[in-house]
Amino acid sequence: MLSGVDDYKTDLEAMEKGADDYLIKSELTAQLLERTFRYSLKSKYLEAKLVKLAHHDSLTSLYNRSIFNELLIKTIQQSQRTGQKIALVTLDLDNFKFVNDNYGHPAGDQLLIKISQRLKHSTRSSDFVARLGGDEFSLLLKDVKNDSDFVKSVENIMDIFQEPFQIDNKSVSVTTSAGIAVFPTDAQTASELIDNSDRAMYQAKALGRNNYSFYNQKLHQEAIVKHQLELELNAAIDNNKLLLHYQPIIDLKTGNITSYEALLRWPDNKNGFRNTEEFIEVAEESSLILKIGDWVFKQACLQLNIWSEQGITDRHISINASANQFNSDDFTELVKKYVNETPDFAQKLTIEITERKPLEITSNIQIRLKVLSDLGIKFSVDDFGIGHSSISYLRAFPMDSIKIDKSIIQNILKFNEDLALCTAIIALGQALSLDVIAEGVETEEIANLLNSLDCPYAQGYLYSKPMPL
Ligand code: C2E
Ligand code: CA
Ligand code: CA
């Protein structure tokens, strides 16, 4: 660097001494410019190298402690603005001393480099990975949708220690203990987050090493259970373990069956079924609901096919779909594909969308529903009366029917408010030319009252429980 500066000075002096000859002068200027350019490139390179040295751990090239702390503070500030949760994961190898003592320090260094590479590989580019010193690493996980995603990420990190590391032709196994603290649930400042993540790591060591622990175990126990359920549900779909049961919808005037609602069933190991509402809720928080939606739709079409082959042509099926199935074109494309194969199936299908988690009124979603409705598919608002009960919702989408929630129906003989609500919904249906279906009808008395209120359709245990066909 100094020789560059000296050359520069000499050239300047040469110029100042004043070579009279213009040609010589311009030749000198050209040389000078070139050298200055090279010098500035070199200094930029050196500067970048210095910055890298200051920010990165020299052995593993991961971030070092000081820059990681700065990044943590910045990310916390961002998270305060966006409301997005972040997780700080502290890792401490369980048996690194053994590796150093038995294979030597160079092998220990090799191991740290290989672990760093696997850590970088197992995280997303937006996450930060640092070596804080010795055999201690820290990771900052961002852009996470929900708590069970933190569990997924931590399990990915733990998984990198499953395979032994190849060091000098030897297979070296090492495990880690990990502690996780989440901002803002577990801490309000960067240093509190670091302390709590450390505490969680010691908790994991106390659990018997090769383990991870969340600072707030109770809060995250739920996330761990959900994550487990997601894995099991995914396997159940792939192994064709799910079933559909069907419950008839009855025309109250004639007593005839007009349609069957398909309800998802997941058999447990004790000849019973897992709670549908519970596992649907977990599926809705992940992309599994899309997989389930596809599966249910295909099964419903298969059932229509079976009836059609048996010469039964007057049966309809209602399927349940979650609002987030309409957030991308995938579901509508799938439905279109199936229905185009057998066009009259479209006339026999109703899609029920719950009002508990309503569709967003956006032009994209309106277009998707319109495309399906133009094919002949009908739409029903499920659980009406306990959610927003919004009339603008009914106007925004091509709805054909409303299902009055069972919590209202089951109370119409007990409470005047529920009777008034039910009467008003039936009138709303008549005014907007929508069919109205009363859900959860369990007694003759309720069925008779609904009939006298001119409610056209009913569904419930009085007629049949959901059953396999
Ligand atoms: P839902 O769509 O409101 O379905 C009606 C629920 O009430 C069903 O519970 C049904 O078994 C139950 N039911 C029917 N008649 C009676 C009755 O007379 N009395 C009482 N107490 N209950 C009755 P299930 O099968 O446990 O389903 C729960 C919820 O899970 C469904 O509520 C629906 O929101 C959701 N679900 C079910 N299958 C699917 C599916 O394939 N996809 C999606 N996205 N959601 C589904
Ligand atoms: Ca339903
Ligand atoms: Ca319902």
Side-chain angles (χ1 to χ4, degrees):
M1 195 157 39
L2 269 176
S3 75
V5 176
D6 289 341
D7 288 353
Y8 184 76
K9 275 191 189 152
T10 325
D11 289 337
L12 264 183
E13 277 160 17
M15 276 187 81
E16 273 165 8
K17 266 187 215 143
D20 291 336
D21 185 319
Y22 174 75
L23 277 174
I24 295 176
K25 207 173 174 182
S26 59
E27 167 71 0
L28 261 176
T29 313
Q31 280 180 14
L32 179 62
L33 275 174
E34 193 190 328
R35 275 195 204 157
T36 314
F37 177 64
R38 274 211 218 118
Y39 173 65
S40 86
L41 265 188
K42 203 167 161 192
S43 73
K44 279 231 161 67
Y45 168 75
L46 286 170
E47 192 184 311
K49 210 163 172 190
L50 276 175
V51 169
K52 193 166 162 67
L53 272 178
H55 288 176
H56 290 78
D57 167 49
S58 57
L59 178 69
T60 61
S61 293
L62 295 179
Y63 287 125
N64 61 23
R65 186 190 290 272
S66 77
I67 188 69
F68 186 75
N69 285 350
E70 275 181 40
L71 289 169
L72 176 61
I73 290 169
K74 282 208 178 95
T75 312
I76 283 181
Q77 285 164 350
Q78 259 169 20
S79 155
Q80 278 164 333
R81 282 196 301 275
T82 60
Q84 182 105 46
K85 283 186 180 178
I86 53 173
L88 179 67
V89 185
T90 301
L91 295 184
D92 190 278
L93 303 185
D94 292 327
N95 39 359
F96 186 61
K97 191 174 173 317
F98 176 86
V99 177
N100 267 340
D101 292 349
N102 286 276
Y103 300 99
H105 282 265
D109 284 353
Q110 282 303 308
L111 178 65
L112 292 174
I113 294 171
K114 297 220 157 149
I115 290 173
S116 309
Q117 288 162 348
R118 286 195 195 171
L119 280 176
K120 283 288 296 176
H121 224 81
S122 72
T123 48
R124 286 168 304 181
S125 55
S126 56
D127 298 334
F128 297 131
V129 186
R131 179 176 169 231
L132 304 184
D135 60 348
E136 207 185 320
F137 297 87
S138 247
L139 296 97
L140 190 56
L141 310 178
K142 303 184 288 171
D143 299 334
V144 189
K145 279 200 243 72
N146 52 49
D147 285 1
S148 71
D149 276 355
F150 284 137
V151 179
K152 240 179 267 174
S153 306
V154 176
E155 295 214 324
N156 283 344
I157 294 167
M158 299 302 286
D159 276 353
I160 70 160
F161 294 91
Q162 296 279 336
E163 281 275 304
F165 295 83
Q166 293 305 316
I167 313 283
D168 296 336
N169 293 328
K170 285 189 206 80
S171 211
V172 179
S173 289
V174 68
T175 58
T176 192
S177 301
I180 306 102
V182 175
F183 178 87
T185 1
D186 299 344
Q188 296 307 307
T189 62
S191 62
E192 214 184 323
L193 194 65
I194 294 171
D195 287 350
N196 290 346
S197 167
D198 275 351
R199 279 194 190 108
M201 190 270 291
Y202 287 117
Q203 217 166 288
K205 289 245 186 237
L207 284 174
R209 292 157 196 257
N210 192 17
N211 240 315
Y212 66 84
S213 175
F214 278 90
Y215 175 67
N216 192 335
Q217 273 302 84
K218 221 195 268 160
L219 202 97
H220 287 93
Q221 202 54 44
E222 220 175 274
I224 293 168
V225 169
K226 272 190 185 167
H227 176 62
Q228 186 57 34
L229 190 74
E230 259 176 57
L231 293 178
E232 287 175 33
L233 183 54
N234 196 19
I237 305 168
D238 289 345
N239 299 325
N240 222 6
K241 291 273 163 59
L242 298 184
L243 307 169
L244 284 181
H245 279 186
Y246 292 85
Q247 187 180 33
I249 298 173
I250 309 292
D251 181 325
L252 272 171
K253 292 270 173 299
T254 63
N256 293 336
I257 295 174
T258 63
S259 180
Y260 289 85
E261 177 176 3
L263 292 154
L264 201 56
R265 293 291 176 267
W266 178 11
D268 62 18
N269 298 328
K270 297 164 233 147
N271 292 331
F273 295 101
R274 319 253 312 220
N275 184 306
T276 307
E277 229 158 315
E278 253 171 50
F279 74 77
I280 286 286
E281 199 175 316
V282 170
E284 275 175 343
E285 286 174 17
S286 71
S287 57
L288 274 184
I289 195 67
L290 305 179
K291 210 165 164 182
I292 288 182
D294 288 0
W295 184 86
V296 168
F297 189 77
K298 278 182 207 153
Q299 295 304 307
C301 285
L302 279 175
Q303 187 57 51
L304 285 174
N305 214 9
I306 293 172
W307 283 334
S308 153
E309 279 173 8
Q310 293 170 345
I312 305 167
T313 53
D314 58 347
R315 284 199 186 155
H316 293 235
I317 290 184
S318 294
I319 62 168
N320 291 283
S322 300
N324 37 2
Q325 286 175 250
F326 294 93
N327 286 338
S328 90
D329 257 336
D330 295 358
F331 183 63
T332 29
E333 284 306 313
L334 175 106
V335 173
K336 257 164 61 185
K337 186 176 140 270
Y338 266 84
V339 164
N340 282 338
E341 281 169 18
T342 322
D344 71 322
F345 283 2
Q347 328 292 324
K348 296 188 168 130
L349 275 169
T350 297
I351 298 180
E352 297 186 4
I353 308 172
T354 179
E355 221 223 345
R356 276 174 288 140
K357 290 179 192 141
L359 289 168
E360 262 183 89
I361 304 182
T362 65
S363 56
N364 269 344
I365 293 182
Q366 282 175 309
I367 291 167
R368 286 181 196 128
L369 262 64
K370 173 88 172 50
V371 166
L372 298 181
S373 149
D374 286 347
L375 290 172
I377 290 175
K378 294 194 178 59
F379 286 96
S380 186
V381 190
D382 206 350
D383 312 316
F384 196 80
I386 55 162
H388 296 257
S389 311
S390 148
I391 295 176
S392 60
Y393 189 77
L394 295 176
R395 285 172 61 97
F397 298 115
M399 293 298 172
D400 300 278
S401 55
I402 319 174
K403 298 187 84 171
I404 310 177
D405 192 72
K406 58 177 176 287
S407 63
I408 298 172
I409 298 300
Q410 289 175 343
N411 284 324
I412 54 173
L413 285 172
K414 282 191 226 140
F415 302 115
N416 281 337
E417 292 82 355
D418 289 292
L419 179 60
L421 209 52
C422 177
T423 313
I425 298 173
I426 295 168
L428 180 73
Q430 281 164 352
L432 296 176
S433 305
L434 300 167
D435 282 336
V436 176
I437 300 139
E439 284 188 313
V441 178
E442 293 185 5
T443 63
E444 285 288 354
E445 290 86 342
I446 289 182
N448 291 338
L449 177 55
L450 287 166
N451 207 357
S452 71
L453 293 172
D454 275 340
C455 177
Y457 301 102
Q459 178 183 0
Y461 294 167
L462 172 65
Y463 311 102
S464 167
K465 287 201 162 181
M467 309 274 256
L469 284 172

